[in-house]
Amino acid sequence: MSAQLIDGKALAQEIRNGIGKDVEALVEKTGVRPGLAVVLVGDDPASAVYVRNKKKACDTAGLHVADYALASTTKQEDLLHLITQLNTDPKIHGILVQLPLPSHIDSQEVLNAVSPEKDADGFHPYNIGRLVEGNPLFVPCTPKGVIRMIESTGQAIEGKRAVVLGRSNIVGKPVAMLLMHRHATVTICHSRTKDLPGMCREADILVAAIGKAQFVKGDMVKSGAIVIDVGINRLDDGRLVGDVDFDQVKERAGWLSPVPGGVGPMTIAMLLANTVEAAQRVAQR
Ligand code: GUN
């Protein structure tokens, strides 16, 4: 059997086209143009690429982008001061602080400083709390995209066994919450899980977010499963691969998302969606 591809790139493009229309409708009706502040500190090359792609997607969909590229030596207090300004800037509806921040900066303090109402990444403790309650304001972008990709298969989530590989605050934990709220039976696995391959083989839905290149092999996947690959890893030969061994797993899975062209473009589309939703909330007040 060969898995059906979950084409994140095409799905994201469709969503972004819809967002572009929503933006113009909002501007026409209320005069409010959704605005995203993108804050990048330092010169991490991967972050620079992510931020460039996010800004480009915003431009294309008609969002206002305020770009803040700060030196790696930026002081914590200056970054906090900028965020305080953005929190009250009426042109800005979403604030994105690209992670990781340089090591001299206390990332948690910075994320806590973002107004929960402008927290387009959904990383503020208030938004994490709302997510856990099942009453989210902002859902983190990658997890939101993962759910949209699973839904795109047309398969029910309710009653399924889902395994999430990885327990990060950005992906593993929120994906698990979202799946649980959709009535899947969810297991979170990590580096200290016993019999991890056996756990994975039980999964009707497998989400891999552990940051290990090609970790999920064909014999770890249940026949017909939905497999979402959140990983982005660079091999020594320069190739970009996910956490899933694509060639092996495509022979067993029912559906499989590729890397690149899977979760990555969906994360960006969901960032736009979150920013537009924030602007719509402001316009409704
Ligand atoms: N770094 C890696 N992924 C993300 C993300 O989704 N948002 C932000 N702000 N930084 C990241």
Side-chain angles (χ1 to χ4, degrees):
M1 175 181 174
S2 198
Q4 292 185 52
L5 207 65
I6 303 177
D7 185 344
K9 196 172 167 193
L11 187 55
Q13 188 57 57
E14 201 182 301
I15 293 168
R16 283 167 52 179
N17 292 345
I19 289 171
K21 293 193 182 111
D22 291 345
V23 168
E24 290 324 311
L26 187 66
V27 172
E28 199 170 311
K29 201 166 137 208
T30 67
V32 174
R33 183 171 295 279
L36 179 70
V38 180
V39 181
L40 172 65
V41 186
D43 34 38
D44 177 66
S47 289
V49 173
Y50 294 143
V51 161
R52 194 167 62 231
N53 290 339
K54 288 171 182 178
K55 288 189 300 196
K56 209 161 79 184
C58 284
D59 274 341
T60 309
L63 282 80
H64 163 64
V65 184
D67 185 16
Y68 297 89
L70 309 181
S72 61
T73 52
T74 299
K75 291 203 190 90
Q76 171 104 3
E77 62 184 281
D78 294 335
L79 182 54
L80 290 173
H81 182 69
L82 169 64
I83 290 172
T84 307
Q85 278 181 339
L86 295 171
N87 282 342
T88 54
D89 183 339
K91 283 212 193 71
I92 298 301
H93 306 95
I95 300 170
L96 172 121
V97 181
Q98 185 65 27
L99 300 178
L101 289 167
S103 56
H104 69 278
I105 287 180
D106 178 345
S107 302
Q108 196 56 57
E109 192 185 2
V110 171
L111 297 180
N112 291 359
V114 174
S115 163
E117 275 148 34
K118 296 193 177 185
D119 177 30
D121 256 328
F123 292 166
H124 190 285
Y126 172 85
N127 282 314
I128 296 170
R130 296 247 333 220
L131 179 70
V132 172
E133 276 186 347
N135 177 32
L137 183 67
F138 287 102
V139 174
C141 305
T142 300
K144 185 169 175 161
V146 166
I147 296 295
R148 292 287 287 265
M149 291 168 85
I150 296 169
E151 287 172 347
S152 79
T153 66
Q155 302 298 298
I157 295 175
E158 182 172 341
K160 295 285 162 57
R161 299 200 68 153
V163 168
V164 179
L165 280 183
R167 52 179 162 177
S168 70
N169 290 333
I170 294 183
V171 184
K173 286 182 207 170
V175 165
M177 279 298 144
L178 294 169
L179 287 166
M180 188 183 72
H181 291 144
R182 285 160 181 76
H183 313 293
T185 301
V186 184
T187 305
I188 303 179
C189 295
H190 47 77
S191 54
R192 301 196 202 165
T193 298
K194 299 231 171 20
D195 187 23
L196 194 138
M199 291 286 199
C200 291
R201 271 192 295 275
E202 298 273 310
D204 304 305
I205 298 168
L206 180 62
V207 179
I210 40 167
K212 288 189 182 158
Q214 299 172 317
F215 178 85
V216 177
K217 300 295 178 190
D219 63 3
M220 291 164 66
V221 173
K222 183 177 184 174
S223 179
I226 299 171
V227 181
I228 307 291
D229 190 351
V230 183
I232 307 180
N233 312 282
R234 179 82 61 185
L235 296 181
D236 289 340
D237 66 8
R239 260 193 315 144
L240 212 54
V241 298
D243 291 351
V244 174
D245 189 321
F246 186 88
D247 289 337
Q248 287 191 16
V249 171
K250 79 175 192 316
E251 299 306 325
R252 285 192 65 85
W255 290 265
L256 173 61
S257 73
V259 176
V263 172
M266 288 297 288
T267 295
I268 295 179
M270 295 303 112
L271 174 66
L272 305 191
N274 279 353
T275 306
V276 173
E277 285 165 27
Q280 286 166 337
R281 281 195 287 269
V282 168
Q284 267 166 19
R285 280 200 202 126

